């Protein structure tokens, strides 16, 4: 018990407590900001809650007509979209019996189809099992309630990832700090070695998980009580639209009683995983990179893989699936396991049991054995190190960064990742209309002149005649199929021409508009394009920059070599100058790997036509000056990103100078560089303008 008390005391250092308090305060501040900020649909979360409060007095028969009436009389886009959302949710709530009937009907259809085909495979078994599960929900009557307060507790992505950061910081302080200070080496001489100590650290991690969960989600609950309508804990869980498809016959109160234990055990698994990484790796750079990459990959698998994909097991057998927790209750999904439908909740439970057992065993036993460090020498540097062939301070610093600082391994891993992440881009079209749209753009490519307008008027006249011919044929009694076949070629191009004319109307508002096929440039400059990678690239760029900068500076502080430099004739000036040069070269390398490769890939696939056209010719860049060309705009955002990378490197150097600890520097980078980018990924309004985000993202105009 004394060991546990000592571990708790070591965890409650001034630095750690301040960081955790900062994150604890940041969570509700950002929550309140998001609540009162207008979203992309034109309304706030408080508006959403207020509308539910207004319609709560209407009966089940009156509520839909009332919402429809409000939507018809709404004067703003935000009010219309808000009423549309609430109408959809309330309609689903009132037609829950029809939803249950549709599940049974689908199961019957699949059963009949499989009888004719003679194939009683996974689809039939899955449909039958799903029908049996949902048949237990017969008689459930969802109520029209405001779910904002509940979702602020159970579906708050920002809070979930703040908790992940807090767990990582606790794992660093519990395991890696003592390991980096070589304090654990003393424990080999004790009677029980390190095993009891690591078991105590695991117990402290479990206690920390419970405390963090209670504090973070308890604060969210207080916010819900103060700013949203009261939560009726006796209402069926299906009253909440997010949990409309839940297979569990639970009230909201029962759901919360199940939710928090599942959330806690998921966080325990993640915390133990972070502890295992800290125990297994000796370098803080590797601890940071492996932890960050693991969380990012798990999050990508969870958010991007479809539930019907053959890779669906990566979506559901996933740490983030448990961390998000609410999805375990909101959906009923079965995975095809050797032809049998196995529920994802059961699979996640087995996954948790196996992983938590492995993590606890590894954490408590790994450090109990001796692990010798091997010194790696590069052949090119071995000569100089052993025979004194050179006395170059620059080469010495290069060696320290590449080998002891692990920058060489990081660059090799980054290069392999870039090759995998950027396969050869190919010109692709989202639809047939886009193919014809490109043909029109190639045909009328260039500035929008009087001659171009004449050609467009001639093309428009053809479609006007087409409309007249179709009207005449319809008057003659021709069928729709006959008309579609007769005018097939003209009709197939009409939608593309309509899109072209709409774009021309926009170009006429400019001083000098250009016509060109802009899809490739949209990928590079439009953050709303589904192929755009601005946020993902910024994450990779930042992780690579932090790892390289820590490798350049970290070796000196790890072996305390930095203290010897005070006695040299020139002190640290020349030494830091060389490190700044290496930092600059590292930023150039990271920038080239992350951005230049992607830029060349996209431009080689979609071409450079329109590179000299005004950037404002693309509608999403209407704010950009008409004197700036597309090429100049791309150059500007690339330059912004490069400057942002240099500032990240300088930030790491400055943190090393003042904090003198690799672990403290990594935590600072997470708080002031990684976390603001995470807010952009979570969709927090105006987060793209925080700290270094404008420079790292580039496309903020």
């Amino acid at each position: 018990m004394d060991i546990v008390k000592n571990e708790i005391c070591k965890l409650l250092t001034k630095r750690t407590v301040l960081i955790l308090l900062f994150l604890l305060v940041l969570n509700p501040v950002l929550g309140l900001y998001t609540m009162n900020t207008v979203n992309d649909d034109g309304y706030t979360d408080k508006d959403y809650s207020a509308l539910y409060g207004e319609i709560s007095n209407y009966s089940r028969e009156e509520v839909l007509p009332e919402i429809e009436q409000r939507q018809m009389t709404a004067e703003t886009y935000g009010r219309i979209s808000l009423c549309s959302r609430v109408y959809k949710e309330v309609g689903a709530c009132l037609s829950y019996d029809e939803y249950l009937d549709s599940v049974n009907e689908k199961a019957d259809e699949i059963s009949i189809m499989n009888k004719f085909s003679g194939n009683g495979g996974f689809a039939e078994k899955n449909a039958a099992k799903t029908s049996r599960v949902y048949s237990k929900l017969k008689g459930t009557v969802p109520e029209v309630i405001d779910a904002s307060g509940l979702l602020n507790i159970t579906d708050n992505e920002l809070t979930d990832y703040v908790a992940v950061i807090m767990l990582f910081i606790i794992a660093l302080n519990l395991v890696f700090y003592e390991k980096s200070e070589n304090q654990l080496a003393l424990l080999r001489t004790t009677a029980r070695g390190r095993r009891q100590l690591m078991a105590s650290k695991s117990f402290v991690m479990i206690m920390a998980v419970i405390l963090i969960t209670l504090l973070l989600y308890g604060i969210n609950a207080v916010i819900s009580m103060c700013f949203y309508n009261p939560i009726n804990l006796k209402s069926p869980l299906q009253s909440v639209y997010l949990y409309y498809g839940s297979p569990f016959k639970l009230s909201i109160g029962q759901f919360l009683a199940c939710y928090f234990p599942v959330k806690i055990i998921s966080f325990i698994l993640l915390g133990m995983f972070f502890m295992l990484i800290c125990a297994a790796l000796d370098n803080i750079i590797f601890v940071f990179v492996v932890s960050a990459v693991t969380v990012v990959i798990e999050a990508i698998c969870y958010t991007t893989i479809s539930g019907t994909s053959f890779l669906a097991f990566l979506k559901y057998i996933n740490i983030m699936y448990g961390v998000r927790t609410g999805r375990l209750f909101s959906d009923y999904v079965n995975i095809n396991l050797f032809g049998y439908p196995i529920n994802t909740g059961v699979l996640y439970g087995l996954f948790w049991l196996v992983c938590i057992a492995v993590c606890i065993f590894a954490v408590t036993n790994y450090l109990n054995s001796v692990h010798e460090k091997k010194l790696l020498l590069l052949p090119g540097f071995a000569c100089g190190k052993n025979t004194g062939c050179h006395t170059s301070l620059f080469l010495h610093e290069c060696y320290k960064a590449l080998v002891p600082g692990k920058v060489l391994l990081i660059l090799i891993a980054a290069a392999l990742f870039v090759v995998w992440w950027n396969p050869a881009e190919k010109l692709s079209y989202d639809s047939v209309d886009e193919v014809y749209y490109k043909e029109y753009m190639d045909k009328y490519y260039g500035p929008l002149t009087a001659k171009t307008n004449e050609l467009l008027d001639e093309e428009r006249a053809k479609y006007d005649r087409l409309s007249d011919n179709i009207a005449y044929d319809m008057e003659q009694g021709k069928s729709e199929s006959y008309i579609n076949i007769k005018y097939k070629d003209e009709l197939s191009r009409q939608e593309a021409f309509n899109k072209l004319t709409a774009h021309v109307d926009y170009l006429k508002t400019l001083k000098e508009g250009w016509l060109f096929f802009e899809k490739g440039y949209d990928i590079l400059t439009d953050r709303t394009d589904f192929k755009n990678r601005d946020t993902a690239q910024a994450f990779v760029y930042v992780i690579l920059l932090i790892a390289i900068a820590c490798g350049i500076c970290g070796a000196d502080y790890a072996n305390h070599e930095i203290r010897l430099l005070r006695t040299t004739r020139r002190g640290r000036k020349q030494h830091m100058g060389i490190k700044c040069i290496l930092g600059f070269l590292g930023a150039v390398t990271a920038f080239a790997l992350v951005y230049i490769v992607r830029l060349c890939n996209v431009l080689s696939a979609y071409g450079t036509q329109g590179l000299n056209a005004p950037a404002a010719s693309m509608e999403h860049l209407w704010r950009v000056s008409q004197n700036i060309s597309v090429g100049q705009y791309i150059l500007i955002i690339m330059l912004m990103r490069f400057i942002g990378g240099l500032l990240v490197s300088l930030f790491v150097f400055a943190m090393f100078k003042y904090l003198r600890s690799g672990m403290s520097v990594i935590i600072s980078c997470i708080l002031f560089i990684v976390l603001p980018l995470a807010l952009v990924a979570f969709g927090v309004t105006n987060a793209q303008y925080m700290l270094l985000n404008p420079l790292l993202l580039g496309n903020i105009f």
Side-chain angles (χ1 to χ4, degrees):
M1 194 64 185
D2 290 337
I3 298 179
V4 174
K5 292 179 181 178
N6 290 334
E7 290 302 319
I8 294 174
C9 292
K10 285 189 288 186
L11 185 61
L12 297 178
T13 61
K14 181 179 179 181
R15 177 193 60 195
T16 306
V17 170
L18 288 176
I19 292 171
L20 295 179
L21 285 177
F22 170 76
L23 291 171
L24 197 62
V25 172
L26 181 66
N27 174 59
V29 169
L30 290 175
L32 292 172
Y33 171 77
T34 304
M35 179 197 309
N36 293 281
T37 303
V38 177
N39 58 28
D40 294 337
D41 292 324
Y43 59 88
T44 66
D45 291 344
K46 290 194 71 174
D47 296 334
Y48 172 80
S49 179
L51 180 56
Y52 264 104
E54 293 170 4
I55 64 174
S56 61
N57 297 324
Y58 292 89
S59 65
R60 296 175 67 90
E61 294 76 18
E62 298 173 336
V63 64
L64 281 179
E66 175 62 24
I67 299 172
E68 191 172 10
Q69 178 64 28
R70 290 170 182 259
Q71 184 176 2
M72 293 175 61
T73 58
E75 298 180 353
T76 62
Y77 166 74
R79 191 67 180 176
I80 293 173
S81 58
L82 172 60
C83 292
S84 176
R85 175 187 172 183
V86 173
Y87 185 89
K88 178 183 177 182
E89 294 177 358
V90 172
C93 176
L94 298 180
S95 60
Y96 186 70
D97 288 339
E98 297 175 11
Y99 169 73
L100 295 179
D101 292 338
S102 69
V103 173
N104 293 328
E105 290 172 3
K106 186 175 181 180
D108 293 339
E109 290 176 5
I110 293 175
S111 178
I112 293 171
M113 291 173 63
N114 278 276
K115 284 180 181 178
F116 282 108
S117 62
N119 178 23
F122 168 76
E124 182 178 1
K125 295 175 183 176
N126 182 45
K129 185 175 181 180
T130 303
S131 179
R132 288 196 302 272
V133 169
Y134 279 93
S135 63
K136 299 176 183 178
L137 297 175
K138 285 290 186 181
T140 300
V141 182
E143 301 175 5
V144 179
I145 62 171
D146 174 22
S148 302
L150 179 67
L151 296 180
N152 185 52
I153 302 170
T154 63
D155 193 55
N156 196 320
E157 189 174 13
L158 177 62
T159 303
D160 292 339
Y161 284 98
V162 167
V164 170
I165 294 174
M166 295 174 78
L167 293 178
F168 178 70
I169 293 171
I170 290 172
L172 283 179
N173 282 274
L174 282 175
V175 180
F176 194 82
Y177 178 75
E178 291 180 350
K179 188 178 177 183
S180 63
E181 296 294 325
N182 294 320
Q183 295 177 7
L184 291 174
L186 301 174
L187 295 169
R188 287 201 185 98
T189 60
T190 60
R192 298 184 181 180
R194 301 172 175 175
R195 186 171 297 168
Q196 186 176 2
L197 174 66
M198 297 308 294
S200 300
K201 290 180 182 291
S202 300
F203 180 72
V204 172
M205 171 59 79
I206 294 173
M207 293 175 61
V209 165
I210 295 173
L211 181 62
I212 286 172
T213 304
L214 293 177
L215 288 175
L216 285 176
Y217 297 92
I219 291 173
N220 285 355
V222 172
I223 291 175
S224 297
M225 293 172 61
C226 295
F227 296 99
Y228 292 117
N229 295 314
I231 303 172
N232 186 357
L233 298 179
K234 296 182 180 180
S235 297
L237 179 59
Q238 288 74 15
S239 302
V240 182
Y241 186 70
L242 179 64
Y243 302 107
Y244 181 73
S246 174
F248 302 103
K249 193 169 185 178
L250 299 171
S251 66
I252 292 177
Q254 293 169 334
F255 161 67
L256 289 174
C258 298
Y259 173 88
F260 285 108
V262 175
K263 173 75 75 175
I264 288 171
I265 64 174
S266 298
F267 279 153
I268 290 174
L269 173 58
L270 187 61
M272 297 304 297
F273 176 75
F274 284 147
M275 288 181 68
L276 177 60
I277 292 175
C278 293
L281 300 176
D282 294 322
N283 192 299
I284 186 63
I285 302 173
F286 286 169
V287 171
F288 168 69
V289 172
V290 171
S291 301
V293 169
T294 301
V295 171
V296 169
I297 290 176
E298 290 282 273
I300 289 174
C301 290
Y302 174 70
T303 56
T304 60
I305 295 178
S306 170
T308 57
S309 170
F310 72 98
L311 295 175
F313 68 95
L314 294 177
K315 178 183 180 72
Y316 297 110
I317 306 177
N318 187 310
I319 295 177
M320 288 300 121
Y321 185 49
V323 169
R324 295 291 291 129
T325 310
R327 302 300 177 180
L328 284 166
F329 295 89
S330 63
D331 304 315
Y332 183 77
V333 181
N334 293 321
I335 298 292
N336 186 354
L337 193 65
F338 305 111
Y340 292 93
I342 305 297
N343 185 252
T344 53
V346 175
L347 285 176
Y348 178 77
L350 295 174
F351 166 75
W352 182 88
L353 287 174
V354 172
C355 289
I356 199 68
V358 170
C359 287
I360 291 177
F361 178 82
V363 168
T364 55
N365 288 276
Y366 180 83
L367 287 177
N368 204 44
S369 57
V370 178
H371 302 276
E372 296 181 357
K373 297 181 181 179
K374 295 182 179 180
L375 182 62
L376 174 65
L377 291 179
L378 290 178
F381 289 95
C383 172
K385 186 174 181 65
N386 296 326
T387 65
C389 290
H390 73 80
T391 57
S392 171
L393 182 60
F394 179 78
L395 291 180
H396 178 66
E397 289 300 320
C398 288
Y399 174 81
K400 284 197 301 183
L402 291 172
V403 183
K406 313 297 183 185
V407 172
L408 179 62
L409 292 177
I410 291 167
L411 291 177
I412 292 173
L416 294 174
F417 175 78
V418 167
V419 170
W420 170 80
W421 200 31
N422 291 285
E425 188 82 26
K426 295 181 180 179
L427 178 62
S428 60
Y429 302 98
D430 298 333
S431 63
V432 176
D433 292 334
E434 194 171 56
V435 177
Y436 294 129
Y437 181 73
K438 183 180 186 303
E439 290 182 2
Y440 277 123
M441 283 298 187
D442 292 341
K443 180 179 179 181
Y444 301 114
Y445 170 72
L448 187 63
T449 61
K451 183 178 180 181
T452 307
N453 283 319
E454 290 178 5
L455 295 174
L456 289 169
D457 289 338
E458 292 176 4
E459 189 73 14
R460 189 178 292 106
K462 292 181 183 178
Y463 286 103
D464 290 339
R465 290 194 296 272
L466 173 65
S467 299
D468 294 339
N469 293 335
I470 291 175
Y472 176 77
D473 287 342
M474 293 180 67
E475 290 177 358
Q476 297 299 314
K478 304 296 184 182
S479 67
E480 185 176 350
S481 299
Y482 171 83
I483 293 173
N484 289 335
I485 294 172
K486 181 178 179 180
Y487 302 106
K488 179 181 177 181
D489 293 337
E490 294 86 347
L491 290 173
S492 62
R493 294 174 177 271
Q494 187 169 18
E495 189 63 33
F497 184 75
N498 292 339
K499 182 179 178 181
L500 173 66
T501 53
H503 184 60
V504 168
D505 291 339
Y506 163 74
L507 293 179
K508 288 179 179 178
T509 64
L510 304 178
K511 182 179 179 181
E512 183 184 3
W514 273 58
L515 287 168
F516 59 94
F517 186 62
E518 70 272 16
K519 184 174 182 179
Y521 302 126
D522 285 343
I523 294 173
L524 296 173
T525 63
D526 186 2
R527 290 179 55 222
T528 62
D529 190 282
F530 75 98
K531 284 190 174 183
N532 182 270
R533 292 180 179 174
D534 282 355
T535 306
Q537 283 179 304
F539 269 114
V540 175
Y541 187 41
V542 161
I543 291 171
L544 190 53
L545 285 168
I546 293 172
I548 292 173
C550 286
I552 293 171
C553 288
D556 292 341
Y557 289 91
N559 58 19
H560 305 292
E561 182 182 335
I562 196 70
R563 297 178 181 177
L564 301 176
L565 296 170
R566 291 193 181 96
T567 62
T568 59
R569 182 168 61 89
R570 297 185 180 180
R572 301 179 180 178
K573 187 175 294 183
Q574 184 178 4
H575 179 256
M576 289 306 299
I578 292 175
K579 286 191 178 294
C580 288
I581 293 173
L582 293 178
F584 177 82
L585 295 176
V588 171
T589 305
F591 179 78
L593 287 172
V594 176
Y595 290 109
I596 299 301
V597 172
R598 173 69 171 169
L599 176 66
C600 296
N601 206 0
V602 172
L603 293 182
S604 64
Y606 292 90
T608 57
Q609 193 181 63
L611 203 61
N612 296 323
S617 297
M618 295 187 288
E619 295 184 29
H620 66 278
L621 296 180
W622 60 272
R623 298 182 184 88
V624 177
S625 171
Q626 298 181 31
N627 297 322
I628 298 176
S629 67
V630 174
Q632 291 171 337
Y633 178 78
I634 293 175
L635 183 63
I636 289 171
I637 62 175
M638 288 295 177
L639 184 61
M640 290 172 62
R641 290 163 175 167
F642 181 68
I643 293 173
L646 292 178
L647 292 177
V648 169
S649 299
L650 289 174
F651 177 81
V652 175
F653 288 178
M655 290 298 101
F656 264 110
K657 181 178 179 180
Y658 291 105
L659 300 178
R660 302 178 183 277
S661 167
M663 191 175 75
S664 299
V665 170
I666 290 296
I667 293 174
S668 300
C669 292
I670 292 173
L671 294 179
F672 297 107
I673 298 176
V674 177
L675 183 58
L677 280 176
L679 298 180
V680 177
F682 300 150
V684 176
T685 307
N686 297 325
Q688 65 269 29
Y689 303 111
M690 293 176 59
L691 299 179
L692 294 180
N693 283 358
L695 294 175
L696 295 172
L697 294 171
N699 287 311
I700 58 169
F701 303 105

